[in-house]
């Protein structure tokens, strides 16, 4: 199941572990197509692949559990075709991070992923690339203005 991790030194220590870390930061809404991102990740990898999808998102007070429950619903759907224990790790960072923690999160991850289909600019993709992180994005909307096959994976 998805686990929820708050901002802590233990979590950042976890980021240094052996996992290859996919990272996405977004507001939890339909435009950002989190369902497609999570489903694609679950179908592409298994628990044996040493990967982790780290999602930085938050909702207003008392609704943060909604994100974890939604991810667990998607994972339960996926587990109909294979054992739940075979699914790769997903971690949700729902805490408010200060700028230093957010920079640390970007630097500790390996690739930025986004399935959004309607951004004005998609600042997190731009920030990730500024830290030297490759980006995998939908070839649509704002990212298509600054991502191409020479600097990312549209």
């Amino acid at each position: 199941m998805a686990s929820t991790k708050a901002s802590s030194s233990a979590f950042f220590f976890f980021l240094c572990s052996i996992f290859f870390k996919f990272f996405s930061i977004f507001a939890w809404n339909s435009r950002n197509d989190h369902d497609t991102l999570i489903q694609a990740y679950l179908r592409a990898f298994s628990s044996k692949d040493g990967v982790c999808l780290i999602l930085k998102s938050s909702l207003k007070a008392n609704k943060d559990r909604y994100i974890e429950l939604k991810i667990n619903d998607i994972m339960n759907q996926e587990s109909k075709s294979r054992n739940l224990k075979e699914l790769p790790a997903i971690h949700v960072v729902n805490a408010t991070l200060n700028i230093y923690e957010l920079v640390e999160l970007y630097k500790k991850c390996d690739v930025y992923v986004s399935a959004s289909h309607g951004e004005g600019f998609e600042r997190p993709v731009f920030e990730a690339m500024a830290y030297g992180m490759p980006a995998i994005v939908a070839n649509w909307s704002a990212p298509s203005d600054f991502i191409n096959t020479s600097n990312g994976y549209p």
Side-chain angles (χ1 to χ4, degrees):
M1 292 296 156
S3 68
T4 304
K5 298 288 183 181
S7 168
S8 71
S9 58
F11 177 67
F12 288 112
F13 178 76
F14 162 79
L15 289 177
C16 296
S17 69
I18 61 170
F19 289 108
F20 183 90
K21 297 159 293 293
F22 293 92
F23 175 55
S24 193
I25 183 171
F26 52 83
W28 195 271
N29 59 47
S30 59
R31 183 191 75 232
N32 288 316
D33 209 1
H34 41 75
D35 289 3
T36 299
L37 175 63
I38 295 165
Q39 289 167 348
Y41 168 77
L42 293 173
R43 291 175 185 166
F45 300 103
S46 79
S47 58
K48 297 176 184 174
D49 291 323
V51 298
C52 181
L53 175 61
I54 298 169
L55 302 173
K56 170 63 184 107
S57 189
S58 62
L59 293 173
K60 293 185 175 156
N62 301 322
K63 294 187 178 181
D64 282 330
R65 282 256 322 136
Y66 172 80
I67 295 171
E68 187 175 352
L69 294 172
K70 182 67 174 165
I71 292 169
N72 286 339
D73 285 346
I74 295 169
M75 293 178 84
N76 284 328
Q77 285 291 88
E78 240 357 87
S79 72
K80 291 179 180 177
S81 62
R82 63 184 180 167
N83 188 315
L84 196 57
K85 292 180 181 179
E86 294 175 5
L87 296 177
I90 297 176
H91 291 278
V92 178
V93 179
N94 61 6
T96 300
L97 301 180
N98 65 42
I99 189 67
Y100 303 105
E101 292 170 318
L102 188 58
V103 167
E104 191 71 13
L105 188 55
Y106 274 112
K107 288 181 175 181
K108 297 265 189 243
C109 293
D110 299 297
V111 64
Y112 189 87
V113 292
S114 172
S116 181
H117 53 81
E119 296 296 328
F121 179 64
E122 194 147 16
R123 180 178 169 177
V125 174
F126 194 79
E127 289 173 345
M129 293 178 71
Y131 288 111
M133 186 187 308
I136 301 171
V137 299
N139 193 12
W140 173 257
S141 193
S144 63
D145 288 339
F146 59 89
I147 295 178
N148 55 53
T149 56
S150 69
N151 65 6
Y153 303 94

